[in-house]
Amino acid sequence: MPTSEFETELKNYYEQKRQSQLTNKIGQAASLMRETLLLCAVYDEVFEGTITPNQSIRDDVEILRSHVQNSEFDAIESKIESALADLEEERDDAREELQIELRDLEDRINGFRSLNKRISEVEEERIDELFDTIEGLDDVPIDEEREFEQLENEVREAASEFVQELEAVEDDLFEGFRGSDIEEQVRSLLQGETMHLTQPDGEELNALRESQLGPYLTLSLEGE
């Protein structure tokens, strides 16, 4: 084989390999963007407010897509690493923000467990299932072979069902105290907080003693 022909084939081989690697990186970019959007969907269903993806990053990805369609691999190569770094940072930021809120929600569910140990109002398995579900809410599926809309609908549905059960358990736990003199104190327990009575009146103390929390009530003077 003449040298010039060998060099041409070798050049073509490396160019094909480069194009394949760049195409794979474009796929990584798409996966990162899908993952971020799914994390945002979970946050939107579970909490008030939203996590808004960075529009400038979305625009950069669209430019990369146009380069792919036009087989402009030199342009892709010059931009892809920066785009991947931005997408990874955005994904990590979205996950961190979601996890912070989920940890607060775990404290709330711990409040459910603490109260339920005293009043035995709901099955403990329901609270265990809330913990099991919350541990996986930040682990979203990014199956490339499935339509994004289908994945988003499934993620939103699972998150919505979790919220409904969370509220149902809270309502069941709170039912016996609704409208009572200690309603606000029980609400604080359900939020995972410690009950503090700075200036309790007689009716409040009697209501606490006579409630299901009575056997677990300990009174002490401030400073003791």
Side-chain angles (χ1 to χ4, degrees):
M1 178 183 296
T3 302
S4 60
E5 184 178 346
F6 173 76
E7 290 176 345
T8 299
E9 289 187 359
L10 188 61
K11 182 179 179 180
N12 289 339
Y13 167 78
Y14 282 113
E15 179 60 22
Q16 290 174 2
K17 186 174 182 180
R18 180 179 78 116
Q19 292 181 12
S20 176
Q21 290 173 340
L22 290 173
T23 300
N24 288 337
K25 289 184 177 181
I26 290 293
Q28 293 174 23
S31 294
L32 286 167
M33 190 163 61
R34 284 161 68 95
E35 188 173 6
T36 299
L37 292 173
L38 291 173
L39 289 168
C40 291
V42 173
Y43 190 99
D44 183 51
E45 288 294 327
V46 178
F47 305 105
E48 295 182 2
T50 58
I51 301 176
T52 304
N54 189 317
Q55 187 56 47
S56 65
I57 298 177
R58 308 270 87 71
D59 293 340
D60 290 343
V61 172
E62 288 303 318
I63 292 173
L64 282 172
R65 284 175 173 168
S66 68
H67 290 324
V68 172
Q69 292 171 355
N70 297 324
S71 298
E72 297 169 340
F73 288 98
D74 288 341
I76 295 171
E77 191 171 33
S78 67
K79 299 174 182 177
I80 186 62
E81 294 300 334
S82 175
L84 283 173
D86 289 342
L87 286 165
E88 286 182 1
E89 183 178 2
E90 182 182 49
R91 186 272 315 274
D92 293 344
D93 288 346
R95 173 170 282 123
E96 181 180 9
E97 190 168 350
L98 175 60
Q99 288 174 338
I100 289 172
E101 296 294 339
L102 290 176
R103 283 195 291 271
D104 290 342
L105 203 51
E106 283 183 345
D107 290 341
R108 183 175 166 191
I109 299 173
N110 271 322
F112 293 0
R113 174 167 286 167
S114 178
L115 179 60
N116 195 54
K117 284 181 178 179
R118 290 158 172 76
I119 66 176
S120 302
E121 192 67 32
V122 302
E123 295 180 358
E124 191 67 23
E125 289 76 10
R126 293 178 65 187
I127 298 176
D128 291 340
E129 288 176 4
L130 289 176
F131 275 114
D132 291 342
T133 301
I134 202 172
E135 288 177 357
L137 285 178
D138 65 333
D139 185 18
V140 293
I142 49 174
D143 189 343
E144 296 294 338
E145 297 182 358
R146 298 175 62 192
E147 292 292 331
F148 174 78
E149 290 75 12
Q150 184 181 11
L151 290 176
E152 183 181 20
N153 288 338
E154 290 181 3
V155 163
R156 286 186 177 276
E157 183 177 356
S160 178
E161 289 177 353
F162 166 76
V163 172
Q164 291 174 13
E165 177 62 6
L166 180 78
E167 293 174 348
V169 169
E170 184 173 38
D171 285 344
D172 289 346
L173 284 169
F174 187 70
E175 186 60 34
F177 303 95
R178 200 180 305 279
S180 69
D181 293 327
I182 58 171
E183 180 175 341
E184 292 305 315
Q185 285 70 37
V186 176
R187 284 189 186 279
S188 71
L189 287 175
L190 288 175
Q191 294 299 323
E193 302 170 0
T194 301
M195 182 188 294
H196 292 288
L197 301 176
T198 55
Q199 292 180 322
D201 57 32
E203 291 183 0
E204 197 172 41
L205 287 175
N206 287 332
L208 280 167
R209 291 192 184 98
E210 294 171 2
S211 72
Q212 292 168 288
L213 297 175
Y216 306 93
L217 183 64
T218 299
L219 299 179
S220 62
L221 296 176
E222 186 174 357
E224 287 189 346

